[in-house]
Each structure stands twice: as structure tokens, then as C-alpha cells.
């Protein structure tokens, strides 16, 4: 019984060594963020490849998270 348990433990430990690294994105690190494929999640007015439109969307999103500008408009 203990020999079977030891063999099972060794097999589980060795299986963990063969794991491949996981990545969360398919985009390469050297790609420009505005050079992406069009998706249904794109903001209105954004066209892939348009750097100025991408920068404007980022500024707009950041301004919406700024508490000073949100409270002064009321």
C-alpha cells in the first residue's frame, strides 16, 4: 500500500515538471496596441490601425475615471 502511494506521489510530482508556461494573450509584446483586429468590443469611432483614435479613446476613458472632473461637472 505505501509503495503504491509513493509511486503515485512521484508520478504526480513529475507530471507538474512538464507543464508549459501559460500566457493570457495572443498579442505579441512588440505589437502596437492600436494595430489590432476589429472586434465587437471596440469603442465607437475606433478603427484598427488609427493611432490618433486609439489615443483619444484612452484619454476619454481615463477622464471618465478622474474623480475631479466627474464631480466638478455636477
Amino acid at each position: 500500500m505505501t509503495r503504491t502511494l509513493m509511486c503515485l506521489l512521484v508520478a504526480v510530482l513529475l507530471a507538474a515538471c512538464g507543464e508549459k508556461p501559460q500566457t493570457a494573450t495572443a498579442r505579441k509584446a512588440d505589437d502596437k496596441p492600436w494595430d489590432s483586429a476589429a472586434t465587437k468590443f471596440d469603442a465607437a469611432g475606433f478603427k484598427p490601425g488609427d493611432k490618433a483614435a486609439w489615443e483619444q479613446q484612452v484619454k476619454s476613458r481615463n477622464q471618465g475615471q478622474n474623480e475631479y472632473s466627474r464631480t466638478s461637472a455636477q
Side-chain angles (χ1 to χ4, degrees):
M1 171 99 170
T2 58
R3 186 175 195 165
T4 306
L5 187 59
M6 287 299 286
C7 288
L8 181 63
L9 182 63
V10 168
V12 169
L13 290 175
L14 288 176
C17 294
E19 210 172 308
K20 294 181 182 176
Q22 299 175 4
T23 57
T25 180
R27 186 178 70 86
K28 291 190 270 178
D30 59 346
D31 287 347
K32 305 285 188 269
W34 53 85
D35 285 338
S36 63
T39 66
K40 63 181 180 180
F41 303 110
D42 290 342
F46 174 72
K47 294 180 226 102
D50 187 2
K51 180 180 178 182
W54 180 82
E55 288 175 342
Q56 182 59 38
Q57 290 294 331
V58 170
K59 285 179 186 176
S60 173
R61 236 177 296 146
N62 288 341
Q63 196 62 25
Q65 294 177 354
N66 185 348
E67 288 294 323
Y68 291 113
S69 66
R70 288 174 45 184
T71 56
S72 65
Q74 293 178 351

